[in-house]
Amino acid sequence: MDRGGRRFVAGFLAVPLLLYAIYVIVPCAQAFLLAFTGWRGVNATPEFVGADNFRRLLADDVFWRAAGHNLLLLLLLPPVTIVIALLFALLLGGQGRGVVGGRAAVRGAGFYRVVFFFPHVLAVALVAVLFQQVFRPDRSGMLNAPLIALGFEPVGFLSDPGVALWAVLGVLVWQAVGFYVVLFSAGLASIPRDLFEAAAIDGAGGARLFAGVTLPLLRDTVQAGWVYLGVAALDVFAVVWVMTAERGGPDHSTTVMAAETYRNAFQYSRFGYACAMGVVLFLFAAGFAVLALRLSRRERIEFR
């Protein structure tokens, strides 16, 4: 690229980079600095307290319980969502369409993809309010109404500490699956049919086609989805805050790190302490992303 081309590109990138620096990098840097202060949101000059906030955080049982909930979601949300999305993408888009041993797409696949994608379009707060009604423990609850009609006791999906977090996980999977169905369907459509034909001639059946052709060529797409879902599992604030009892209850059974950060900042006015929580959450997310990318590193597969 010549000097004129570089200037042209730099001119287009200057404003977006400036806005990114002002609204993302600078606030993040401020949060890191405030994590070492006792700022309560009203004092003009934050008092420097060193690492006191982080020492206090080590003894905060509620925060580490919230971190455990995030870790559970991190372990379950990506694999469950990806497996379900891959299954639906294969059912809708097929693999090796028209190839012996392959699987053809179903009729109306485009319509089904729109239906699957629709939950992803809904605002997270709207989804949380919707599932508050679905999980109601009386006859107006969509899940409990049939149980009550059959003479069973209603399930406290949001009031039972042993069940509430699983209800949150179910909502997260329900909302996320549709996006990955569309993503994986696009990946399937990009795989050349010749590869399926060659595998089918060698005697590969549907399972072998998936394990030997489809999955390896979708690996980069699955990897990106895994990282995105992992980061999403560390930031489930809206669903927990809107849908669950006591905004993270009952008895802190569904609280997550982001909820505790918000609670300490805007309910208890412990902004310095909340920033320390935010720093820990950032390190969790960055560490997961780096680890996931390193573990899945491999030579890039190219096909035409």
Side-chain angles (χ1 to χ4, degrees):
M1 184 182 294
D2 59 17
R3 182 175 299 180
R6 287 195 292 269
R7 287 178 179 176
F8 179 77
V9 173
F12 269 98
L13 292 178
V15 174
L17 289 175
L18 178 63
L19 293 175
Y20 184 82
I22 293 173
Y23 292 108
V24 177
I25 296 178
V26 172
C28 286
Q30 289 177 329
F32 272 81
L33 293 175
L34 289 173
F36 295 94
T37 71
W39 189 48
R40 299 188 62 87
V42 291
N43 45 328
T45 304
E47 177 188 359
F48 181 77
V49 296
D52 286 354
N53 286 329
F54 293 96
R55 283 192 288 266
R56 179 181 175 185
L57 196 58
L58 290 175
D60 191 333
D61 293 337
V62 174
F63 178 78
W64 291 111
R65 188 176 179 185
H69 296 156
N70 277 118
L71 179 60
L72 180 63
L73 295 175
L74 178 61
L75 293 174
L76 295 179
L77 179 62
V80 172
T81 303
I82 287 173
V83 167
I84 295 174
L86 270 175
L87 175 62
F88 281 125
L90 288 170
L91 291 174
L92 293 177
Q95 61 173 357
R97 189 181 307 177
V99 177
V100 176
R103 182 173 181 84
V106 299
R107 290 184 177 180
F111 170 76
Y112 289 122
R113 289 191 190 102
V114 172
V115 173
F116 278 120
F117 190 78
F118 182 70
H120 191 77
V121 177
L122 298 176
V124 178
L126 179 59
V127 171
V129 172
L130 172 66
F131 274 91
Q132 271 187 327
Q133 305 306 312
V134 171
F135 290 141
R136 284 178 64 91
D138 51 34
R139 292 184 181 276
S140 61
M142 183 182 296
L143 297 181
N144 276 313
L147 295 177
I148 295 173
L150 293 172
F152 294 101
E153 290 293 324
V155 178
F157 290 103
L158 299 179
S159 58
D160 186 341
V163 177
L165 188 62
W166 299 104
V168 171
L169 175 63
V171 173
L172 296 174
V173 171
W174 179 84
Q175 188 182 28
V177 159
F179 175 82
Y180 292 96
V181 169
V182 175
L183 182 66
F184 295 150
S185 295
L188 285 170
S190 69
I191 299 176
R193 179 179 167 182
D194 295 346
L195 297 178
F196 291 107
E197 291 178 343
I201 291 173
D202 289 337
R208 290 291 301 277
L209 283 175
F210 176 75
V213 179
T214 303
L215 192 56
L217 295 178
L218 282 180
R219 183 169 175 175
D220 290 339
T221 305
V222 171
Q223 174 188 322
W226 198 287
V227 173
Y228 180 82
L229 284 165
V231 174
L234 295 173
D235 180 24
V236 293
F237 168 76
V239 170
V240 168
W241 197 259
V242 175
M243 188 178 74
T244 61
E246 304 168 14
R247 295 185 172 91
D251 192 27
H252 303 296
S253 62
T254 59
T255 191
V256 290
M257 288 186 283
E260 291 307 310
T261 301
Y262 183 92
R263 196 189 319 275
N264 277 274
F266 297 102
Q267 289 189 353
Y268 306 146
S269 296
R270 302 170 185 163
F271 284 90
Y273 187 52
C275 286
M277 291 183 174
V279 169
V280 174
L281 178 57
F282 169 79
L283 294 177
F284 264 83
F288 164 76
V290 171
L291 181 63
L293 291 173
R294 281 193 172 273
L295 290 177
S296 58
R297 179 181 294 177
R298 61 158 189 170
E299 292 185 3
R300 185 178 181 86
I301 298 177
E302 295 185 1
F303 52 85
R304 296 180 181 178

